[in-house]
Amino acid sequence: MQDPTQQGHVETFIENGLATIQFFHPMSNSLPGKLLAKLAESITEAGNNDEVKVILLKSEGERAFCAGASFDELTSIEDFETGKKFFSGFANVINAMRKCPKLIIGRVQGKAVGGGVGLASSVDYCFATKHAAVKLSELAVGIGPFVVGPAVERKLGLSGMSELAINATEWRDAQWAESRGLYNHTFDTVEEMDEAIEKLVAKLRKSNPDAMESLKKVFWRGTDDWDNLLIERAELSGRMVLSDFTKNAIAAFKSK
């Protein structure tokens, strides 16, 4: 049986100015370090491609958008450097999205957990279905949403992020996420969502690329320190994941 940390893929499709970056993992689209590195690389490459006007970030499947960190990889971490490297993967993806000069649209078709909420928080405009409930489960496994926290707080505000972070076992439905600014629009079906995405992409294709790039800088104003901040958060998580409390919490959570 193939090692789960080596499974999954990230693919990029470019057509008529739209770069679609699509990721997949058989375990509810969870993200091991290998996929995180590929995601960051793909976002950076699309952002630097003159043929690309706008980027769409999506995952495969219907039920889960992203289950967050790979528990198989979490349980294999045995030293600080390995832990720091793993959590830096999420930091690198968020920073790649932040620094990308192109607008990024998110397509959230199903539930988002932990790092998945971080991804949804880091796109510039986010579509979702009514099935796209959210949860920050990190505290329930002995860590905390330290790396994704700044991105989530930027979209939900401190109150919304705190609610998710503290009540870590409770789902919040898509309507809750939309009312707090994480999702810009929610739809009953995937088909309705995809139709709305196509309409927005058609408008953005005709928009001034320089104006969109400048808007992106406006949107992310005040985040210039995130290169250092998110790595500091990754170091914090890397130390915390080594504690007996966290190891036992992750093992118990994984066995459910």
Side-chain angles (χ1 to χ4, degrees), residues 137-157:
S137 60
E138 286 88 343
L139 189 60
V141 293
I143 311 175
F146 300 117
V147 176
V148 303
V152 177
E153 181 181 345
R154 174 178 164 269
K155 278 294 179 74
L156 294 178

Side-chain angles (χ1 to χ4, degrees), residues 4-5 24 49 67 74 91 106 109 119 124 128-129 134 144 173 181 203 223 225-226 232 235 250-251 253:
T5 65
F24 169 76
N49 188 332
L74 278 176
Q109 81 281 15
L119 293 183
D124 300 299
T129 73
V134 297
D173 63 22
K203 294 176 184 177
T223 63
D225 65 332
W226 281 24
E232 290 173 1
E235 291 175 347
I250 290 174
F253 194 87

Side-chain angles (χ1 to χ4, degrees), residues 1-13:
M1 181 178 177
Q2 187 180 7
D3 180 355
T5 65
Q6 299 303 310
Q7 293 179 313
H9 58 257
V10 177
E11 299 175 311
T12 301
F13 308 94

